[in-house]
Amino acid sequence: MTDPLSLLALSPRLGPTLRRIVFIWLALLCLSASCQELAAEPTIVRYFSKGNTEGLRTYQLELVKLLLEKTRATHGDYSLIIVDSDLSAARAKAETEKGELINTHYATEWSGEFVNAENVYVLPHSVLKGLLGMRSLIVREDRLQDFEHIDQHNQLSLFKAGQRTDWPDVEILKYNKLPTLLTEQLTSLSPMLQAHRFDYLPLSILEAPAVTVPFNTGSNALAISPSTAIFYPLAMHLCVSKTKPKIAERLGAGLTIASEDGSIDALFEKHFGFIAVLLAQRKLTTLILNNPLISPSENKRLIAEFINNYGPYTKTVYVE
C-alpha cells in the first residue's frame, strides 16, 4: 500500500482530485490516532474512603466501582485511587473541592469551615435507600432493659448520646434537645460507651451491626437495642469536585444505568439484605425527629418516604 506522504510528494500530474483524496485520508488518520490517544487516557478517580464506619465503607467503594464499570463501554478505562488519610470532615471536603488529593466523596451535607457547596457536584441519587437516618441504639448489654419501653421523647432525653464532633448528627440531636457527648475520634466512641462516658451510640441500622461485633463479648459487651430506634431524614450522595466535570458526568451516567438495570438494588441487597428481616422481626419503636439542616418541606418529604417504605415494619412515634 502506497504511503500517503509519498503520494503528496508525487508530480502534480496526479491532479487536484487525487491530492484532495490524499489530504482527506491523512486527516482521517490523524483524527483516528487522536481519538485512540484520548480513549487510552483513563478516568482518574481519587476517592476518599474514610469518614464513615466500616459498616458502610465496603458498600460505598463497591458502588463507585460498579458505576465506573457500567460506563466503561461509553467512557473508557479508569483508575480508582483510594485515599484513606485520616482527615476531618471539613478538611476532606476542602480537598475534594480542590480536586487534587481527592475528587470524589460521599457526604450527607456540604458545610463547615472553609467549605463551599458551590464547588462540588452533588449527584441526585440517594445511595442508601433512606435508611442512613434510621439510627439503631448501641448500648451496654447490661443496660438493654433501660431502653426497652421508650416511646416518648422525654424518656430518651434522660440519656446521653455519643457522637463524633464533625458529624451532622450533632446538630440534629442538639436541635431535638437530646444530650450528647462528643469526641473527635470515631474509634473512641465504642470504648467510651463501654466506660460509661455516655449511655447510647445512635448509628445507622446499616452500620450498627458491624460496629458492635468487635465489642459484643465480655463484661463490658455492647449490644443493639432490640426495641427502640430513632429516625431523622439524612440522605447520602456522591459528591464530585467541580474541577472534574467529566468524572461527575460519568458517575451520574453510571447511576442512571445501574438504577435502571437493577444492579444498585442487587448490590444493596448483597450488603444490607439482613435489614428487611431485622425490621420484620423486631417491629422497632422508632422516634421520628426533624433535621434542622434541611428545609421543612424536605423533612416532610423524606419522613413520608420513610413511613411509606418502612412504616409497616416499625412502630413510628412523631416527636413534636
Side-chain angles (χ1 to χ4, degrees), residues 75-222:
H75 293 70
D77 201 1
Y78 64 88
S79 175
L80 179 57
I81 300 169
I82 310 300
V83 181
D84 60 358
S85 307
D86 287 319
L87 305 177
S88 69
R91 171 74 188 283
K93 290 172 183 174
E95 292 295 339
T96 303
E97 291 180 25
K98 295 176 187 176
E100 297 171 1
L101 175 64
I102 305 165
N103 57 42
T104 303
H105 184 159
Y106 285 100
T108 56
E109 42 76 41
W110 206 267
S111 63
E113 193 174 8
F114 308 119
V115 168
N116 185 353
E118 296 297 318
N119 294 330
V120 292
Y121 298 102
V122 179
L123 304 188
H125 186 95
S126 179
V127 299
L128 294 173
K129 296 185 177 293
L131 284 173
L132 181 64
M134 185 171 188
R135 297 324 231 196
S136 292
L137 306 187
I138 301 175
V139 303
R140 283 176 56 104
E141 190 172 49
D142 58 9
R143 296 193 61 196
L144 279 172
Q145 69 277 7
D146 293 342
F147 293 83
E148 273 185 16
H149 303 294
I150 293 177
D151 58 7
Q152 295 181 42
H153 173 272
N154 61 0
Q155 292 173 303
L156 186 61
S157 66
L158 297 175
F159 300 101
K160 183 177 292 185
Q163 280 291 294
R164 180 169 145 166
T165 307
D166 55 4
W167 282 353
D169 310 68
V170 174
E171 290 300 317
I172 298 171
L173 295 172
K174 180 180 178 181
Y175 174 82
N176 287 280
K177 297 181 173 57
L178 293 173
T180 309
L181 181 70
L182 307 180
T183 178
E184 293 184 357
Q185 299 298 322
L186 172 62
T187 53
S188 298
L189 285 168
S190 294
M192 288 173 68
L193 177 56
Q194 288 181 308
H196 298 275
R197 296 286 303 282
F198 52 84
D199 302 302
Y200 68 101
L201 172 58
L203 286 181
S204 171
I205 193 171
L206 302 171
E207 59 190 329
V211 170
T212 308
V213 165
F215 302 93
N216 65 1
T217 58
S219 59
N220 296 324
L222 302 182

Side-chain angles (χ1 to χ4, degrees), residues 45 64-72 78 250-251:
V45 177
V64 172
K65 291 179 179 178
L66 174 67
L67 304 183
L68 292 169
E69 284 296 331
K70 289 292 181 181
T71 50
R72 185 187 287 275
Y78 64 88
R250 177 170 183 165
L251 292 175

Side-chain angles (χ1 to χ4, degrees), residues 33-53:
S34 176
C35 290
Q36 289 175 6
E37 183 179 349
L38 287 173
E41 296 179 4
T43 302
I44 300 176
V45 177
R46 301 186 64 87
Y47 166 66
F48 181 60
S49 66
K50 291 291 185 71
N52 292 299
T53 68

